[in-house]
Amino acid sequence: MRDQCCVKCGAPASWTDCHHIVHHADGGPTILDNGCLLCRSCHTAVHHQGWDVFLGHDRHPWLIPPATVDPRRRPLPAHNRRTMRLDPHVVGTAA
């Protein structure tokens, strides 16, 4: 299993739902590469509090916090991969 837990907070997988990274209503397919696990609270944060999710070049979800959390909106890896970092050329910033 790729995500193993809520990708934002680390809640157990049994507490999560699948989130379409590209929303189903916008034509996003229901496939692994377009989904991630989010608990209800984090799912709400993604939909209503400015968090963004994208699939990185590593085919794992990354989160972009709203400017109120991080004014530079630096990508964060999924909770179970928090030791991971994007290469500076991918983020577009200097290391």
Side-chain angles (χ1 to χ4, degrees):
M1 179 185 229
R2 183 194 68 196
D3 295 346
Q4 301 174 1
C5 58
C6 174
V7 300
K8 185 172 177 294
C9 76
S14 61
W15 297 2
T16 66
D17 296 316
C18 184
H19 167 72
H20 282 83
I21 295 170
V22 175
H23 299 288
H24 191 262
D26 296 331
T30 303
I31 59 173
L32 182 61
D33 280 347
N34 188 43
C36 66
L37 297 179
L38 289 171
C39 70
R40 296 256 168 114
S41 177
C42 292
H43 210 157
T44 298
V46 167
H47 282 284
H48 302 290
Q49 296 172 4
W51 286 83
D52 291 316
V53 180
F54 71 95
L55 201 66
H57 66 280
D58 57 1
R59 294 186 64 216
H60 287 270
W62 289 73
L63 295 110
I64 300 175
T68 55
V69 173
D70 177 9
R72 293 177 53 202
R73 300 199 74 208
R74 291 171 287 209
L76 300 168
H79 188 273
N80 63 322
R81 296 168 49 90
R82 286 287 154 89
T83 60
M84 305 294 294
R85 296 289 176 255
L86 285 177
D87 292 332
H89 72 276
V90 174
V91 179
T93 61

